[in-house]
Amino acid sequence: MFQRLGEQGSYRVASSRYPLAEVDPLRPTLPGGSGDAAGLARALEAALPLAVTPEAQLTTLERFGGFVAAVDAAGAEVGGVSWFDQARLRVALEACGDEVLVLRADVSGIQEFIYRAESSRALRSLRARSFYLELLAVHALRHLLRLCGVSRANVAYVGGGGFQLYLPGRFAAQVRAFAQSFDDWLWDAHQGGLGFSVASVIVSPAEARSGTGFQRDLSAELGRQKARRRAGRLSAVFGGVSSPVLRQRQEESLSDALIEFGGLLPRASHIEVREAGKADGSGWVTVGDRAYRPLRASPGEPLPPERLALNSLTDVDAFPMFTGNYVTRVRDVPPPLRNVDADQGEGPHSVASHEQLVDLALGQPRLALFRCDADNMGTYFAGGIPGHSAARHATLSRLMSLFFQGYVNAICAQRDPLLPGVPQAARSAAEGHGRYLNIIYSGGDDAVVVGAWNEVLTFAVDLRRAYRAFTGGNDRLGLSGGAFMAKAKYPLRRMADLAHEAEVLAKQVEENGKVVKDGFVPFLTTDGPGRDPSAAVRWNVFAALDGAGGGMDRTLDLLAAFLTLSGPGSGPDGVELNVKRAFLWKLQAFAQRDGDAWRLPLLHYALARATPPAEQLPAWQALQRTLLRRDTWPHLGHVLGFLHLARPTAQERMD
């Protein structure tokens, strides 16, 4: 699907393909692997008799046919389209009749809702707040499907707080009425902070199948709708008496509900759905006429009749919902920092706090918030796909959701360090636990995570490597992102704003005088210049994206050379090199004097004054030779930034 994106002309069949395999949102499937066609066919034959309803059959076909290539009437492969999406789009458009209402919807106010909440309750409900936004979109989508009497086959995509549907044109008035009523509900429930924006167009089935023309129009119209979503509501804002006490009570009530909800979410297999008036007990959140609560199903236990299946296609009678829901639980934290019983059940305090995550950081106790976004995807979705069609659009959307709402959990759960020489805190023995970080949000084509600074840095590198593998090594498909680092008490909304500035800076990376994006800002701190172009580098300059390293042309390669001088006191609490810290400060001064005539003499002076131990003389001499190479100098700033953060700071931890 991805290998030909960015090319001109008609689509050519890609050379790198996904293997014929079952679609599992928690187990990444990458192009180039081996598959088992016969085994997949047998599994499909065994599963189909268990799928009684059309919705169940659709889920079964997605599970076993999501990576099967589509073919045309002559039996030739259709490049970039899966058989599943080809089949479901045909069914969807047939169900629409002669007029197809193409609807694109989006929940507005996401950033404000997640990051601007001030109370301590809001911070504790952070992951649940972002999941709640995903739930709003799924709630509206399912209601529209029921309203129009169509199935999930009519969903072009869902993710990132929005969705696109193909609906029968005769329901246009009812769809508009629901969109207005849901927006009204959001306005009342969230004091205007959240909204439901909708753009739509009626086209013929042939136009819908082609997928061209109207996609850009829909994107532009949705942008206009979001920009004026408060239009006509000025009287509601200024016409009556506003009570800040009432607003605070509403916010605290929602935060309390989301804390209970979020405590159940990490280990949940389903979301139970009931009518709003029939929800009893704790852990429920209400959206319109429905109430939702996380549920972990036990084998043999009866399931509620209406439910969402999280990150799974095996429960064919549930509506599948992919979500990045990886978090560090308190029980995953090592005992000295846990301060709770290891047998503690799931509940409002089961997710590790920022303070606990910071205490697990390497060296300096710092928290990092990382934001990233796939480059140029908006252009492709708006009609820039070679040989654009509705089926190709649906395949691209589904696979992007699979990566950012499913595979991201597996990347978080990895346990490997950034480099073999970088120590890390002990891992929990719990199944599925990996890095000490929490997903705040992941969906559409972007992700936000927070955690111990070194864990977030390792995740960022592995996410970029996984995205490159997932997209068939296409150099046109970058992933720009930036990390902001601060102490645990630093205001989260300010961290998010500064990480966004870092992400914007990463998208301005240049190569040969041309903006190429695919950048990374790894070490933006409160002391760092937020608009310094040198803070951003291209990913392939920072790390080897294909796993091939060993030279000195990347930042991590130079860092590995420094780590050969690690002292015996290095460990999970920090890395101490067997050179004086004054040597590192001299190197820092050298790195900052680009273009200065005294730059090279300063480097020679720093090397001459360093006194490494005799037993590490060969490693030291190799590092000396490396530092005298001009091609390593651009990497020094980021390497020294890492070494500064990784330095042991026992006193600060005691404070």
Side-chain angles (χ1 to χ4, degrees):
M1 176 68 238
F2 296 93
Q3 196 174 10
R4 303 302 185 197
L5 278 184
E7 292 187 352
Q8 300 297 319
S10 60
Y11 191 94
R12 293 181 292 117
V13 174
S15 59
S16 181
R17 304 162 184 247
Y18 295 96
L20 291 172
E22 179 180 339
V23 176
D24 184 346
L26 298 180
R27 186 172 300 172
T29 298
L30 303 175
S34 59
D36 179 10
L40 191 68
R42 288 194 298 270
L44 173 60
E45 288 178 344
L48 274 177
L50 304 177
V52 179
T53 65
E55 291 284 0
Q57 293 163 358
L58 183 71
T59 299
T60 301
L61 294 181
E62 180 176 1
R63 178 182 172 188
F64 295 103
F67 293 116
V68 178
V71 295
D72 60 21
E77 182 177 327
V78 179
V81 179
S82 85
W83 164 75
F84 166 71
D85 292 305
Q86 181 191 52
R88 74 183 180 93
L89 259 295
R90 183 172 64 246
V91 171
L93 295 180
E94 287 175 355
C96 290
D98 295 333
E99 290 187 330
V100 181
L101 175 69
V102 188
L103 178 141
R104 190 174 295 181
D106 191 79
V107 176
S108 307
I110 287 177
Q111 303 295 322
E112 187 82 9
F113 180 77
I114 294 177
Y115 301 116
R116 300 291 174 177
E118 298 283 356
S119 69
S120 60
R121 289 186 176 92
L123 290 177
R124 284 169 53 199
S125 66
L126 193 58
R127 176 62 193 99
R129 294 178 81 84
S130 62
F131 184 86
Y132 173 74
L133 294 169
E134 297 177 63
L135 202 56
L136 292 176
V138 170
H139 172 87
L141 179 150
R142 295 179 69 232
H143 186 97
L144 287 171
L145 295 181
R146 290 194 301 268
L147 177 67
C148 299
V150 293
S151 73
R152 193 169 62 85
N154 292 62
V155 181
Y157 75 84
V158 56
F163 55 84
Q164 181 170 312
L165 302 177
Y166 297 101
L167 302 173
R170 63 184 181 277
F171 289 100
Q174 294 96 314
V175 168
R176 284 194 298 269
F178 168 76
Q180 184 62 57
S181 66
F182 191 54
D183 185 54
D184 291 342
W185 180 86
L186 286 172
W187 177 274
D188 293 337
H190 298 282
Q191 308 92 44
L194 293 176
F196 186 62
S197 303
V198 170
S200 63
V201 62
I202 293 182
V203 298
S204 69
E207 290 175 306
R209 279 191 294 272
S210 71
T212 57
F214 62 83
Q215 294 289 1
R216 282 194 174 89
D217 295 339
L218 278 176
S219 296
E221 177 59 24
L222 186 61
R224 288 190 290 269
Q225 292 293 339
K226 293 172 69 174
R228 59 173 184 255
R229 65 187 180 90
R230 292 187 173 95
R233 296 189 184 272
L234 293 180
S235 60
V237 175
F238 298 108
V241 178
S242 176
S243 170
V245 175
L246 179 61
R247 285 176 63 95
Q248 184 177 2
R249 285 176 181 170
Q250 282 185 287
E251 170 64 28
E252 290 181 351
S253 176
L254 176 63
S255 292
D256 287 341
L258 289 175
I259 287 170
E260 295 284 348
F261 185 96
L264 300 172
L265 188 59
R267 301 289 289 172
S269 60
H270 293 78
I271 300 294
E272 181 179 0
V273 187
R274 293 187 185 179
E275 293 181 18
K278 297 182 179 179
D280 53 352
S282 61
W284 295 92
V285 295
T286 300
V287 179
D289 61 349
R290 289 290 191 274
Y292 300 85
R293 180 172 65 178
L295 167 71
R296 182 164 181 81
S298 300
E301 179 183 355
L303 291 167
E306 187 177 358
R307 59 192 183 274
L308 313 177
L310 295 181
N311 295 326
S312 175
L313 295 170
T314 57
D315 182 0
V316 296
D317 294 318
F319 189 95
M321 181 178 179
F322 299 166
T323 180
N325 63 345
Y326 178 94
V327 295
T328 299
R329 297 178 300 158
V330 172
R331 65 172 61 184
D332 297 327
V333 175
L337 302 173
R338 187 166 58 211
N339 297 324
V340 297
D341 186 346
D343 295 327
Q344 172 184 294
E346 307 300 329
H349 303 286
S350 62
V351 179
S353 66
H354 289 176
E355 288 77 11
Q356 288 170 314
L357 294 175
V358 158
D359 282 335
L360 292 162
L362 176 69
Q364 302 265 348
R366 294 292 183 269
L367 194 72
L369 189 145
F370 173 71
R371 298 179 65 154
C372 67
D373 175 75
D375 297 327
N376 304 319
M377 276 298 159
T379 301
Y380 296 136
F381 276 114
I385 306 173
H388 199 297
S389 68
R392 187 162 289 130
H393 185 275
T395 300
L396 178 62
S397 302
R398 182 173 56 82
L399 291 182
M400 288 295 290
S401 295
L402 189 61
F403 184 87
F404 280 99
Q405 294 170 251
Y407 293 171
V408 66
N409 295 297
I411 299 168
C412 288
Q414 293 176 7
R415 293 169 172 247
D416 296 333
L418 183 68
L419 289 168
V422 177
Q424 58 185 13
R427 308 286 127 172
S428 165
E431 181 183 356
H433 174 258
R435 292 171 179 146
Y436 291 110
L437 52 82
N438 294 339
I439 293 178
I440 295 178
Y441 173 81
S442 187
D445 63 354
D446 57 348
V448 184
V449 302
V450 66
W453 73 268
N454 57 300
E455 305 275 348
V456 170
L457 178 62
T458 308
F459 163 80
V461 172
D462 283 345
L463 182 74
R464 180 63 188 96
R465 287 171 171 164
Y467 186 67
R468 179 175 176 80
F470 183 70
T471 56
N474 188 338
D475 291 331
R476 302 174 186 86
L477 300 182
L479 185 74
S480 297
F484 177 78
M485 301 182 185
K487 295 183 178 181
K489 297 294 186 181
Y490 198 84
L492 182 73
R493 67 175 185 176
R494 184 60 180 153
M495 287 190 74
D497 289 342
L498 291 170
H500 177 65
E501 289 183 16
E503 181 186 331
V504 171
L505 194 63
K507 286 185 176 291
Q508 298 170 359
V509 169
E510 295 185 359
E511 191 174 82
N512 300 323
K514 180 181 178 182
V515 175
V516 290
K517 300 185 180 181
D518 195 27
F520 180 42
V521 178
F523 300 119
L524 188 66
T525 68
T526 51
D527 300 323
R531 292 178 176 82
D532 179 7
S534 65
V537 294
R538 290 207 73 187
W539 274 109
N540 61 1
V541 172
F542 186 81
L545 298 183
D546 294 318
M552 283 300 147
D553 53 349
R554 295 181 177 89
T555 302
L556 290 190
D557 296 328
L558 182 59
L559 175 59
F562 272 90
L563 293 175
T564 60
L565 296 177
S566 298
S570 296
D573 289 333
V575 174
E576 191 70 84
L577 301 185
N578 277 327
V579 293
K580 293 182 179 179
R581 293 183 182 177
F583 168 67
L584 299 180
W585 289 117
K586 289 184 177 71
L587 285 184
Q588 185 73 51
F590 164 77
Q592 293 173 348
R593 297 180 73 159
D594 189 12
D596 192 324
W598 288 98
R599 193 182 194 206
L600 190 56
L602 181 62
L603 175 61
H604 280 283
Y605 174 74
L607 293 173
R609 296 283 294 176
T611 55
E615 63 270 16
Q616 290 184 311
L617 186 59
W620 166 249
Q621 291 174 336
L623 180 60
Q624 276 186 312
R625 291 191 296 270
T626 297
L627 291 174
L628 289 170
R629 290 172 44 180
R630 290 180 179 271
D631 59 346
T632 65
W633 297 352
H635 304 288
L636 262 178
H638 288 140
V639 168
L640 294 170
F642 180 94
L643 293 174
H644 172 71
L645 286 164
R647 192 177 64 202
T649 55
Q651 183 60 45
E652 188 172 354
R653 289 183 183 277
M654 286 194 304
D655 294 341

